[in-house]
């Protein structure tokens, strides 16, 4: 009976950890996506300096998320985002079209990471 | 390198813990579900070892989940005999009274060579000397030589308080006669952990508490 109890306990811990990790990644990525959308809006409004500042904050936020995310998510899913968020502020300060394209790509990749951690039918299969 | 070594130690400890959690059953002959789990664990455990990109946590999660499911499954199998039959199958008699049953052999995809090898490993070289050869659910073959007993091998009539009607009927028990027999020893079916019987009237009754009862059959 001890084995059954230990197994149920482990399964409960794993289920809670999986749920928490999924919600954490999803929540943090959603926050990043909102930040990207804010930066895009600022860029469309021609407020390049404010957009660069917002992009810099995005880079910092990603660095903070990255530290914990590497424990929960496979490295290969983070490397592209690392490249995307590195120097995002300088890209936003440069050519507007290129900056918007970069932000668009970054938003898509971040949303993909978030979706991959939520057990939807599409993510499972 | 040092990271890989630390990861190896962590995974080693977790795999050892997982095998211990599965229990001693795992270390002996494997049931089908145990074989599947063992193969899966050995494969899953190598992934975080080979690829430092995979976090140890994501490598450990499937190992522990699989082992916990296996432990829960083995508990359910113990509780529900119908599930045991579905998951582990049931033993099949391939030789009865020296006669090989080709239909059962075909069904089990058991070749004559497989059968002869199994018999030889039991020091039996002539199938004609075999009273019964039974392929167990773990794939091993149990052999009863002709001279060891003239009757049928005992059948499990009650397992963990559950009467197995087909076996009871085979041993000549009706519902009433089985109840009457148990009543003689102040037992109900629910009080019996294991009861085996044979067609000669011999029986072995192991109650959940107390000493077992041995009933000699005709000619025993």
């Amino acid at each position: 009976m001890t084995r059954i109890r230990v197994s149920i306990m482990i399964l409960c811990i794993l289920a809670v950890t999986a749920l928490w990790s999924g919600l954490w990644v999803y929540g943090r990525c959603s926050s990043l996506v909102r930040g990207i959308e804010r930066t895009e809006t600022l860029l469309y409004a021609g407020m390049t300096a404010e957009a660069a500042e917002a992009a810099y904050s995005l880079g910092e936020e990603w660095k903070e998320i990255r530290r914990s995310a590497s424990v929960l998510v496979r490295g290969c899913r983070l490397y592209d985002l690392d490249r995307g968020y590195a120097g995002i502020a300088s890209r936003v300060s440069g050519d507007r079209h290129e900056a918007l394209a970069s932000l668009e790509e970054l938003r898509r990749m971040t949303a993909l990471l978030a979706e991959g951690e939520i057990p939807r039918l599409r993510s499972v299969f | 390198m040092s990271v890989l070594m630390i990861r190896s130690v962590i995974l080693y400890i977790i795999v050892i813990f997982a095998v211990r959690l599965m229990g001693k059953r795992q270390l002996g002959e494997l049931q089908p579900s145990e074989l599947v789990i063992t193969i899966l664990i050995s494969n899953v455990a190598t992934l975080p070892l080979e690829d430092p990109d995979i976090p140890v946590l994501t490598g450990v999660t499937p190992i522990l989940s699989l082992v916990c499911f296996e432990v829960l499954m083995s508990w359910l199998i113990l509780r529900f005999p119908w599930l045991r039959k579905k998951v582990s199958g049931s033993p099949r008699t391939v030789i009865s009274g020296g006669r090989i049953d080709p239909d059962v052999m075909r069904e089990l995809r058991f070749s004559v060579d497989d059968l002869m090898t199994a018999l030889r490993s039991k020091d039996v070289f002539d199938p004609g000397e075999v009273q019964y050869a039974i392929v167990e659910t773990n794939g091993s073959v149990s052999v009863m030589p002709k001279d060891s007993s003239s009757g049928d091998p005992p059948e499990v009539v009650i397992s963990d308080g559950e009467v197995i009607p087909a076996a009871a009927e085979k041993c000549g028990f009706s519902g009433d006669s089985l109840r009457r027999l148990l009543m003689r020893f102040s037992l109900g079916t629910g009080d019996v952990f294991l009861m085996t019987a044979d067609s000669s009237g011999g029986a072995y009754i192991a109650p959940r508490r107390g000493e077992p009862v041995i009933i000699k059959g005709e000619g025993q």
Side-chain angles (χ1 to χ4, degrees):
Chain A
M1 219 44 199
T2 312
R3 285 198 167 89
I4 307 290
R5 285 200 198 102
V6 170
S7 300
I8 291 171
M9 200 179 71
I10 291 172
L11 277 178
C12 289
I13 292 170
L14 288 177
V16 169
T17 311
L19 189 72
W20 172 81
S21 107
L23 288 175
W24 185 84
V25 172
Y26 188 81
R28 301 306 300 259
C29 287
S30 299
S31 157
L32 281 172
V33 168
R34 280 195 299 274
I36 293 169
E37 283 167 353
R38 202 168 44 247
T39 313
E40 281 174 328
T41 312
L42 288 168
L43 263 183
Y44 277 122
M47 302 160 80
T48 314
E50 285 84 347
E53 208 171 294
Y56 178 78
S57 312
L58 275 176
E60 291 301 304
E61 193 178 344
W62 172 250
K63 273 185 207 161
E64 193 201 323
I65 294 170
R66 180 65 169 86
R67 274 197 290 273
S68 311
S70 58
V71 180
L72 306 168
V73 184
R74 284 183 76 147
C76 59
R77 295 183 65 199
L78 302 174
Y79 298 148
D80 285 342
L81 282 160
D82 279 340
R83 276 192 289 275
Y85 281 102
I88 183 74
S90 57
R91 278 204 300 282
V92 166
S93 314
D95 181 67
R96 187 164 161 265
H97 290 292
E98 264 183 38
L100 283 170
S102 295
L103 286 170
E104 169 70 32
E105 177 68 5
L106 209 51
R107 183 152 52 100
R108 198 185 56 80
M109 287 193 301
T110 312
L112 266 179
L113 177 66
E115 275 185 27
E117 290 301 304
I118 294 292
R120 291 195 183 114
L121 214 57
R122 205 174 31 176
S123 326
V124 173
F125 294 102
Chain B
M1 279 285 275
S2 56
V3 172
L4 271 179
M5 274 196 73
I6 295 165
R7 286 164 79 102
S8 306
V9 170
I10 293 170
L11 280 159
Y12 173 77
I13 292 167
I14 281 162
V15 170
I16 293 284
F17 170 74
V19 174
R20 283 286 295 124
L21 188 66
M22 277 204 281
K24 286 198 171 59
R25 254 153 52 88
Q26 181 61 35
L27 304 174
E29 302 266 358
L30 298 174
Q31 288 290 328
S33 63
E34 292 164 346
L35 177 70
V36 170
I37 294 295
T38 310
I39 293 169
L40 279 175
I41 287 178
S42 61
N43 276 312
V44 170
T46 55
L47 296 176
L49 279 183
E50 284 173 349
D51 188 355
D53 256 9
I54 301 174
V56 171
L57 194 64
T58 52
V60 164
T61 303
I63 295 174
L64 289 178
S65 305
L66 286 169
V67 169
C68 292
F69 289 140
E70 169 57 22
V71 172
L72 291 180
M73 191 62 163
S74 61
W75 180 71
L76 287 174
I77 282 173
L78 202 71
R79 293 273 298 133
F80 305 106
W82 61 268
L83 186 64
R84 189 182 321 157
K85 219 168 180 178
K86 291 274 175 226
V87 176
S88 302
S90 41
R92 301 297 305 269
T93 306
V94 282
I95 302 179
S96 173
R99 203 181 72 79
I100 298 171
D101 189 335
D103 294 335
V104 175
M105 295 267 292
R106 219 179 354 261
E107 209 176 302
L108 297 173
R109 276 169 284 131
F110 217 68
S111 71
V112 175
D113 288 341
D114 292 336
L115 181 65
M116 290 308 292
T117 306
L119 292 181
R120 282 195 295 271
S121 70
K122 305 278 178 185
D123 297 326
V124 178
F125 292 86
D126 177 9
E129 292 172 8
V130 177
Q131 181 66 29
Y132 284 102
I134 298 166
V135 179
E136 304 293 353
T137 54
N138 57 18
S140 66
V141 179
S142 302
V143 178
M144 182 185 192
K146 267 186 174 167
D147 55 1
S148 69
S149 166
S150 54
D152 294 344
E155 295 269 344
V156 176
V157 176
I158 300 178
S159 168
D160 207 1
E162 294 276 339
V163 179
I164 299 161
E169 199 178 316
K170 205 170 167 187
C171 300
F173 286 113
S174 65
D176 279 346
S177 64
L178 184 61
R179 257 194 302 278
R180 272 199 303 276
L181 175 71
L182 294 176
M183 283 289 279
R184 270 170 52 197
F185 305 101
S186 312
L187 293 169
T189 49
D191 303 322
V192 179
F193 183 66
L194 172 70
M195 175 179 170
T196 61
D198 56 40
S199 53
S200 71
Y204 168 85
I205 305 168
R208 288 186 196 277
R209 283 183 185 79
E211 291 298 307
V213 179
I214 298 165
I215 303 166
K216 299 266 186 207
E218 290 163 21
Q220 288 183 325

